[in-house]
């Protein structure tokens, strides 16, 4: 019996899209055909009756490309690029979703949104309202105002915290890697692919140590494993899969064997704030 049979019954799915999966590697500019396939997949999932939340990176990458900048070093320049890029990114998502008759909405968050009880409650209510209205919420970190103290810094962990907040039953981390390997496959040829993680223990957690993100994103395997710890402890299955072709989304939700699945392992005493302290 496949460990993925139950994925067909998921009702609330968070999909995280990394920057590197949205832009052309050569130029850093948006890859429109890819975005179109992503939006079509999400729209179809929605039409099947699944509530979908997108957590999309790309603000900084799109802002940089818009300004013709290849490298940004200062925090201010990154925040300025995020401000420029976020509005462009969302206007394109909005246009693509509208082609499928769907409304989308922007939600920008920082760590504070979750640590402050009132903000957390309001954020959860807004998600619930949007999903009830059949709207696709598109989340990103509020990079423009984030400071070191309140930032997630990567959308891997942010997407897991969002999944926990709204009680999602599946989190898809779409990235430029196939899934979890026993070692870094770029440097170690004996690295073994791990299709299923039933219980995320120290051995697995150590597999991500020292990994870094791609040229366009900031999360590496380490942040993905922390995301898996948060999501699975909150009772949500998580899959890391390669976003080179977004058609993979419907295949994953059909339960087909792609990527690495981390099976939910709900902790009775799960308390979101304990996890936020470690981020
Ligand atoms: N919030 C950042 C952006 O939109 C991306 C963070 C990440 O790479 O995970 O550019």
């Amino acid at each position: 019996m496949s460990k993925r049979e139950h994925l067909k019954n998921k009702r609330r799915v968070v999909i995280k899209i990394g920057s590197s999966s949205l832009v052309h590697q050569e130029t850093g500019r948006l890859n429109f055909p890819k975005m179109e396939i992503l939006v079509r997949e999400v729209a179809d999932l929605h039409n099947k009756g699944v509530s979908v939340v997108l957590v999309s990176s790309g603000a900084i990458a799109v802002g940089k490309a818009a300004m013709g900048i290849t490298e940004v070093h200062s925090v201010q320049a990154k925040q300025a690029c995020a401000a420029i890029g976020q509005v462009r990114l969302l206007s394109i998502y909005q246009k693509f979703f509208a082609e499928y008759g769907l409304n989308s909405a922007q939600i920008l968050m920082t760590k504070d949104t979750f640590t402050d009880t009132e903000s957390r409650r309001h954020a959860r209510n807004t998600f619930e309202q949007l999903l009830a209205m059949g709207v696709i919420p598109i989340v990103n970190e509020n990079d423009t105002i984030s400071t070191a103290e309140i930032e997630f810094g990567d959308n891997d962990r942010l997407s897991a915290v969002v999944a926990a907040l709204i009680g999602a039953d599946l989190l898809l981390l779409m990235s430029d890697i196939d899934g979890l390997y026993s070692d870094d496959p770029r440097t170690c040829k004996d690295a073994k692919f791990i299709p299923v993680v039933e219980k995320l223990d120290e051995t697995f957690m150590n597999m991500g140590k020292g990994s870094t993100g791609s040229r366009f994103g900031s999360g590496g395997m380490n942040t993905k494993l922390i995301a898996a710890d948060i999501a699975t402890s909150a009772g949500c299955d998580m899959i890391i899969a390669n976003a080179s072709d977004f058609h993979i989304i419907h295949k994953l939700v059909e339960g087909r064997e792609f990527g690495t699945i981390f099976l939910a392992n709900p902790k009775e005493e799960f308390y979101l704030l304990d996890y936020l302290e470690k981020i």
Side-chain angles (χ1 to χ4, degrees):
M1 167 87 170
S2 159
K3 297 265 187 255
R4 301 194 182 211
E5 204 52 40
H6 66 294
L7 296 181
K8 291 190 183 99
N9 305 322
K10 297 295 181 188
R11 304 316 303 153
R12 189 168 276 201
V13 180
V14 175
I15 305 178
K16 183 259 169 176
I17 311 295
S19 307
S20 62
S21 312
L22 286 178
V23 299
H24 288 285
Q25 297 305 305
E26 307 76 27
T27 59
R29 290 179 185 274
L30 281 172
N31 183 330
F32 293 126
K34 262 194 100 171
M35 265 186 100
E36 231 174 329
I37 295 169
L38 166 67
V39 169
R40 191 159 53 208
E41 288 281 314
V42 170
D44 195 56
L45 205 51
H46 169 90
N47 285 357
K48 282 182 180 141
V50 178
S51 296
V52 189
V53 172
L54 263 189
V55 177
S56 179
S57 305
I60 298 174
V62 171
K64 272 164 49 181
M67 301 314 289
I69 306 170
T70 45
E71 295 296 331
V72 278
H73 299 292
S74 74
V75 174
Q76 293 94 314
K78 273 192 193 148
Q79 293 183 310
C81 285
I84 298 160
Q86 177 67 20
V87 65
R88 276 200 182 210
L89 182 65
L90 267 282
S91 70
I92 293 161
Y93 270 126
Q94 189 181 35
K95 188 165 167 287
F96 282 149
F97 275 114
E99 281 178 19
Y100 293 96
L102 289 178
N103 287 306
S104 50
Q106 167 179 271
I107 301 193
L108 296 176
M109 314 180 91
T110 63
K111 221 199 278 182
D112 265 359
T113 318
F114 298 92
T115 48
D116 182 82
T117 312
E118 276 291 285
S119 313
R120 190 169 68 244
R121 190 167 58 82
H122 284 293
R124 189 189 291 119
N125 290 346
T126 306
F127 274 113
E128 289 301 336
Q129 189 64 53
L130 288 169
L131 294 175
M133 290 169 155
V135 174
I136 310 288
I138 306 176
V139 182
N140 198 355
E141 179 152 13
N142 196 349
D143 294 311
T144 308
I145 59 149
S146 267
T147 57
E149 293 72 35
I150 60 164
E151 76 169 11
F152 283 95
D154 65 85
N155 281 355
D156 293 329
R157 292 173 294 184
L158 171 62
S159 62
V161 173
V162 168
L165 179 79
I166 64 167
D169 46 14
L170 178 63
L171 167 62
L172 302 180
L173 285 194
M174 306 302 298
S175 185
D176 51 4
I177 45 167
D178 293 330
L180 179 65
Y181 285 84
S182 56
D183 212 321
D184 188 340
R186 291 169 298 189
T187 51
C188 172
K189 65 174 175 29
D190 295 329
K192 283 199 179 53
F193 186 70
I194 300 166
V196 184
V197 174
E198 292 198 32
K199 193 166 180 297
L200 190 57
D201 57 19
E202 275 304 298
T203 319
F204 288 116
M205 290 305 285
N206 287 333
M207 288 176 187
K209 297 269 156 67
S211 75
T212 52
S214 71
R215 191 154 65 95
F216 295 106
S218 47
M221 189 46 82
N222 197 29
T223 61
K224 290 180 178 50
L225 288 171
I226 297 170
D229 185 32
I230 299 169
T232 58
S233 304
C236 175
D237 287 328
M238 184 184 112
I239 300 177
I240 300 176
N242 199 316
S244 58
D245 177 0
F246 281 123
H247 289 112
I248 198 173
I249 291 176
H250 74 265
K251 298 177 190 167
L252 290 170
V253 180
E254 280 167 6
R256 288 161 67 177
E257 307 279 335
F258 293 100
T260 299
I261 185 164
F262 298 79
L263 295 170
N265 193 3
K267 301 233 171 24
E268 225 172 87
E269 74 290 8
F270 179 82
Y271 188 50
L272 192 54
L273 289 186
D274 291 343
Y275 288 81
L276 286 166
E277 270 171 22
K278 291 189 258 170
I279 291 177

